[in-house]
Amino acid sequence: MIDSLARKETTYDTQIKALQQGQFSDPFSFLGLHANSEQQFEIRAFIEGACSVELVSLSGNINFSNINDSGLFVLTLKNVDLPEPYKLRALYHDGSDHVFYDPYQFKSSINQNDMYLFNEGTLEHAYRLLGAHCVEQQGVSGVRFTVWAPNAHSVSVIGEFNHWHANQNFMRKHPASGIWELFLPEIETEQCYKYAITDCHGNRFEKADPYALKTQQSPGTASVIQKSIPQVSVKQSKVQNTLNRVDAPISIYEVHLGSWKRRENEGARYLTYRELADDLVNYVKELGFTHIQLMPISEYPFDGSWGYQPVGLFSPSSRFGSVDDFAYFIESCKKAELGVLLDWVPGHFPSDPHGLHCFDGTHLYEHADKRQGFHPDWNTYIYNYSRPEVQSYLLSNAIYWLEQYQINGLRVDAVASMLYLDYSREENEWVPNHLGGRENFDAIHLLQKVNTRSYANQNDIMMVAEESTAWPGVTNSVENNGLGFGYKWNMGWMNDTLNYMKRDPIHRQYHHHEMTFSMAYAYSENYILPLSHDEVVHGKGSLLSKMPGDDWQQFANLRAYYAFMYAHPGKKLLFMGAELAPREEWNHNAGLDWDLLNSEAHHGVFKTIQKLNQVYKSTPAFYELDQQPDGFKWIDSDNSQQSIFSFVRFSKSLNEHVVVISHFTGQVYHQFRMGVPAKGVYQVALNTDDETFWGSGVNAVAHSQQLIETQDIASHGFEQSIQITIPPLSTLYLQFVTG
């Protein structure tokens, strides 16, 4: 027998008030199917705006009672078998209706061990636990929403599927873990959603999903239901697997996807990931680079941050297309045997209200103390690295990009700001560690954990630190008290050499050490030599504009400098446009000036970079012993008067070697004698003063094949020597070809 009337003696005033105010902390204890006695059951549904609700039954729909027109509908059942699972039908005043599975009849599907590991700070795949995931429960397909908000009083899912109604889909809390969960049946993908959170003070606000796999493009701030966790299917080839080793050639092209190229005839719109898969990949391959490094592509709200203030760490920016489009771009890089590195930002996050700041009404992801939790330089918030759940969040994000998208490595941004508690702070503006020092032990532990687990899962990747201080052992293993990175940016080399190159050639003799000092510490870390985006913004001017002299001298300086860089120990990184030699600094709001390639001078720089990559990759002496003293020997490091630097690079066989001469004045030196390490013949492999590159065309030797035979005349500590002409503002590579 069915009792369709609500029992008048029973009131639900307390529950109705809590539901209406969005403060119902335990919805599964009240909503859904509940036993009143051994033979009587009650189904309760809270659907504001509905005029009636029915239980969908094969024998005919059964009406619920509307309690006090409050939105609470109750149906009492006696001795009736319910469909498993059952559906409800809500009717509205405009005549519309909605048939749906009652979400409060479904049991939790969260793995208890995963929650334990998450709270422990070791869940490497937390993105599979948290976020929105298409799953099947009790034979019904739908989306499981899961979010960590331990201090929230209540949390509900809002989105296009429930018309952003905050009182419709309250979530279940797992008190021990602080995780909230709700399975919504028959929800379509590609719909926007957020979490409506009520804090312990009764304040209600909306937050995007920290683990969303897809995010609305700015100015939208919602998360988007993605049909599945992305997975790049193209694996690295055996050839590509060698490209991340310290004895391999690594030359990196750093790219800001929003300003590499624009579709000027279509309103200067961005290129999509699929367009970039054609244009950018082919271009970088033509230039001869081994890797593409993408400036941050995790979703970010403000274009002017260049991606360094992300709010969607798991979401490839929708500015350039869908998640599948991004996966297609990565697959295209791999098919072209180009490695892909991502700029990763675990040091801070922005203050946007839909982001992580005060996520559940408390300082959940960041430190509560402003001296620890706020970054004065960037007006951003600093992660609380001591919190295990934050460790799981960041660790799993690194693993996500490396495993799901098969990314070849991460360049970790602003590592120095993570390592030092007093970074960019005055006295009394920071909190010392428990030993009274300035080291951030929690951040150190996180970086060590991320590096250790990333390399343990995929040993053919490269983890790169942008670290600007003299912190010891950045690229040492964790077992040897290091941070565990594979590489570190050599900021000292960059600063010193650019300072030298800015000087008028007549003054360079007094600053000769700026070009040689880097060899005093060249083997202390595994270095990458960076000429990155940071050197061509904020009024610093372009690389070309830094060079002294007239038009010809500026281009000659730049070509010679690039060649010096490629010959110096360490892997190489150039920011996009370096090959075009623009006169203006980088503008993120516009594409590169591709018309520069119509200029002979600018095209000469393009061909120089192309030639440098070709010679670099084909010459083991330039990369095999980057990290070993046996790979480098000065011929003359003290010729300051003529501003000439000469050295030898050796391969593992040691018999294979290249003599490098960089000259940074406008003079031409004829019959210049220089010692060399072996008797035989050398060949000019590169001359940046060649007319092909828009140089003056001064040849090192008169021989048509650019061959130089050694002489039994001792010089520079060697028994053999050569006599050559040294062109103005140039770098020469002399390759040993026969003994």
Side-chain angles (χ1 to χ4, degrees):
M1 179 179 179
I2 300 174
D3 181 2
S4 61
L5 298 176
R7 290 173 297 176
K8 295 181 179 180
E9 68 272 19
T10 303
T11 60
Y12 300 102
D13 291 346
T14 301
Q15 292 90 340
I16 290 171
K17 183 178 180 180
L19 288 166
Q20 290 176 335
Q21 293 179 353
Q23 295 184 346
F24 210 100
S25 58
D26 189 10
F28 280 82
S29 68
F30 179 70
L31 299 175
L33 178 67
H34 295 273
N36 282 350
S37 66
E38 291 184 1
Q39 295 183 335
Q40 200 171 65
F41 298 87
E42 198 167 81
I43 301 176
R44 308 181 196 111
F46 186 71
I47 309 173
E48 288 185 323
C51 58
S52 65
V53 174
E54 301 171 344
L55 172 67
V56 177
S57 171
L58 292 176
S59 59
N61 293 357
I62 308 169
N63 287 319
F64 282 62
S65 296
N66 188 344
I67 306 300
N68 299 327
D69 294 324
S70 63
L72 177 65
F73 294 84
V74 178
L75 174 63
T76 303
L77 302 172
K78 190 174 184 180
N79 296 329
V80 173
D81 291 331
L82 278 173
E84 176 81 20
Y86 63 86
K87 282 190 172 183
L88 306 178
R89 177 172 178 251
L91 294 92
Y92 298 91
H93 293 284
D94 62 0
S96 64
D97 69 342
H98 176 48
V99 178
F100 59 96
Y101 287 104
D102 183 357
Y104 296 100
Q105 66 185 301
F106 293 94
K107 299 177 181 178
S108 172
S109 65
I110 291 183
N111 183 287
Q112 294 294 320
N113 187 57
D114 283 348
M115 286 195 288
Y116 173 78
L117 294 175
F118 174 73
N119 292 133
E120 188 184 60
T122 58
L123 188 60
E124 296 180 10
H125 301 95
Y127 55 87
R128 295 176 183 168
L129 168 67
L130 293 134
H133 296 284
C134 296
V135 298
E136 184 177 293
Q137 288 189 220
Q138 297 166 230
V140 178
S141 296
V143 177
R144 185 189 69 202
F145 297 89
T146 317
V147 64
W148 178 57
N151 303 305
H153 186 67
S154 72
V155 182
S156 61
V157 183
I158 57 175
E160 294 177 285
F161 41 82
N162 62 14
H163 306 288
W164 302 96
H165 203 307
N167 291 344
Q168 184 165 327
N169 294 130
F170 291 98
M171 304 179 77
R172 167 197 284 120
K173 184 178 183 180
H174 297 267
S177 67
I179 289 175
W180 299 75
E181 170 204 14
L182 185 66
F183 173 72
L184 293 181
E186 299 183 322
I187 296 293
E188 295 181 1
T189 60
E190 301 300 323
Q191 294 190 83
C192 293
Y193 72 97
K194 283 184 178 180
Y195 297 110
I197 298 175
T198 303
D199 67 16
C200 60
H201 302 293
N203 302 308
R204 201 175 214 185
F205 44 86
E206 298 176 0
K207 291 289 186 179
D209 189 343
Y211 286 85
L213 303 177
K214 185 175 182 179
T215 304
Q216 256 190 324
Q217 183 177 343
S218 180
T221 59
S223 304
V224 180
I225 301 170
Q226 172 67 19
K227 60 186 176 184
S228 62
I229 296 176
Q231 178 67 63
V232 168
S233 58
V234 176
K235 303 293 184 181
Q236 295 172 322
S237 69
K238 290 182 179 179
V239 173
Q240 195 175 351
N241 278 342
T242 68
L243 293 183
N244 299 325
R245 299 192 330 224
V246 293
D247 62 349
I250 295 177
S251 60
I252 303 165
Y253 188 76
E254 185 191 22
V255 182
H256 178 259
L257 293 182
S259 59
W260 178 70
K261 185 183 288 187
R262 297 280 187 98
R263 287 286 184 257
E264 299 298 339
N265 58 345
E266 299 178 35
R269 69 165 176 83
Y270 298 129
L271 268 65
T272 67
Y273 289 123
R274 290 183 180 268
E275 290 171 328
L276 289 161
D278 293 329
D279 292 12
L280 176 61
V281 171
N282 291 332
Y283 178 78
V284 175
K285 192 71 175 175
E286 177 191 0
L287 272 173
F289 287 91
T290 63
H291 290 70
I292 295 176
Q293 178 173 306
L294 304 180
M295 289 171 66
I297 53 84
S298 293
E299 195 61 79
Y300 52 97
F302 176 48
D303 284 353
S305 78
W306 313 330
Y308 289 101
Q309 294 193 9
V311 293
L313 277 190
F314 291 86
S315 305
S317 178
S318 56
R319 288 168 174 79
F320 315 110
S322 69
V323 170
D324 290 338
D325 293 337
F326 179 69
Y328 177 85
F329 170 77
I330 300 300
E331 288 179 343
S332 298
C333 291
K334 291 189 173 297
K335 288 177 181 177
E337 295 193 336
L338 284 173
V340 182
L341 307 177
L342 287 189
D343 231 326
W344 189 52
V345 188
H348 61 128
F349 59 87
S351 59
D352 297 74
H354 66 286
L356 297 180
H357 175 52
C358 287
F359 188 79
D360 63 356
T362 67
H363 296 281
L364 189 63
Y365 283 86
E366 72 275 15
H367 281 279
D369 191 328
K370 188 175 182 180
R371 296 172 298 170
Q372 296 171 285
F374 187 76
H375 203 297
D377 283 354
W378 305 312
N379 293 321
T380 52
Y381 292 97
I382 300 170
Y383 288 103
N384 183 351
Y385 303 110
S386 66
R387 183 159 281 165
E389 295 86 355
V390 173
Q391 294 177 29
S392 285
Y393 175 68
L394 294 172
L395 170 63
S396 66
N397 185 248
I399 299 297
Y400 171 75
W401 295 110
L402 296 171
E403 286 192 2
Q404 300 301 138
Y405 285 104
Q406 293 292 305
I407 299 299
N408 297 92
L410 302 176
R411 177 266 192 186
V412 183
D413 177 61
V415 170
S417 73
M418 299 173 65
L419 295 176
Y420 297 99
L421 294 166
D422 64 344
Y423 183 88
S424 197
R425 296 177 187 274
E426 301 296 331
E427 189 176 355
N428 299 321
E429 291 182 348
W430 59 283
V431 180
N433 60 39
H434 67 280
L435 299 178
R438 57 199 286 254
E439 299 83 7
N440 190 335
F441 292 129
D442 295 320
I444 293 167
H445 175 67
L446 171 77
L447 292 171
Q448 291 174 327
K449 180 187 291 189
V450 168
N451 288 328
T452 299
R453 295 309 306 154
S454 296
Y455 277 113
N457 292 330
Q458 292 176 279
N459 61 10
D460 53 0
I461 60 169
M462 53 191 297
M463 302 295 286
V464 182
E466 186 219 8
E467 204 286 310
S468 55
T469 73
W471 184 280
V474 172
T475 58
N476 283 1
S477 67
V478 174
E479 293 78 8
N480 291 320
N481 299 315
L483 295 181
F485 284 96
Y487 293 92
K488 170 182 171 173
W489 275 20
N490 194 334
M491 311 295 279
W493 173 89
M494 178 272 298
N495 283 316
D496 287 347
T497 58
L498 280 180
N499 283 338
Y500 178 89
M501 294 304 301
K502 292 174 186 176
R503 304 182 191 281
D504 189 288
I506 197 171
H507 300 302
R508 286 173 174 168
Q509 60 183 311
Y510 306 110
H511 303 275
H512 197 73
H513 67 282
E514 290 178 332
M515 296 292 272
T516 62
F517 180 65
S518 57
M519 289 311 303
Y521 59 87
Y523 312 112
S524 61
E525 304 277 6
N526 298 336
Y527 281 118
I528 291 175
L529 310 181
L531 292 175
S532 73
H533 66 277
D534 280 328
E535 309 320 312
V536 292
V537 289
H538 301 318
K540 295 178 183 177
S542 69
L543 291 180
L544 182 68
S545 69
K546 299 180 198 295
M547 303 297 136
D550 60 21
D551 204 43
W552 183 90
Q553 290 171 329
Q554 284 186 303
F555 282 97
N557 270 300
L558 188 59
R559 294 191 306 269
Y561 178 53
Y562 283 157
F564 174 82
M565 169 191 183
Y566 267 76
H568 190 285
K571 310 311 179 185
K572 326 301 174 188
L573 181 141
L574 288 174
F575 181 53
M576 66 179 199
E579 74 281 10
L580 304 178
R583 298 183 185 277
E584 304 299 325
E585 67 177 32
W586 171 49
N587 175 11
H588 73 271
N589 286 319
L592 298 178
D593 185 357
W594 295 100
D595 289 338
L596 293 176
L597 288 176
N598 297 325
S599 157
E600 189 177 356
H602 293 276
H603 197 253
V605 176
F606 176 91
K607 288 188 287 187
T608 301
I609 296 298
Q610 199 171 38
K611 180 68 172 179
L612 284 171
N613 276 320
Q614 181 264 314
V615 173
Y616 172 64
K617 291 189 299 183
S618 62
T619 309
F622 280 140
Y623 58 80
E624 282 189 341
L625 297 177
D626 265 343
Q627 312 310 135
Q628 300 178 38
D630 289 345
F632 179 94
K633 184 176 179 62
W634 283 112
I635 295 174
D636 190 351
S637 63
D638 297 323
N639 190 351
S640 59
Q641 187 175 0
Q642 295 175 308
S643 296
I644 294 175
F645 306 85
S646 53
F647 53 89
V648 188
R649 294 299 310 274
F650 295 96
S651 69
K652 287 181 178 179
S653 71
L654 298 183
N655 188 44
E656 297 179 16
H657 62 272
V658 179
V659 170
V660 178
I661 306 121
S662 287
H663 171 217
F664 293 107
T665 77
Q667 302 297 313
V668 178
Y669 294 104
H670 299 281
Q671 298 182 331
F672 189 93
R673 184 164 298 280
M674 178 175 296
V676 291
K679 180 181 178 68
V681 176
Y682 289 82
Q683 185 172 33
V684 179
L686 176 79
N687 177 0
T688 62
D689 193 49
D690 194 289
E691 291 178 339
T692 304
F693 307 130
W694 204 60
S696 63
V698 174
N699 292 322
V701 291
H703 197 288
S704 61
Q705 294 183 328
Q706 298 287 284
L707 297 176
I708 312 164
E709 190 169 351
T710 64
Q711 298 173 325
D712 294 326
I713 301 175
S715 182
H716 296 96
F718 297 99
E719 295 181 359
Q720 295 288 308
S721 63
I722 56 175
Q723 201 169 41
I724 59 172
T725 297
I726 298 185
L729 295 171
S730 64
T731 292
L732 301 172
Y733 294 169
L734 309 180
Q735 192 161 21
F736 184 66
V737 292
T738 180

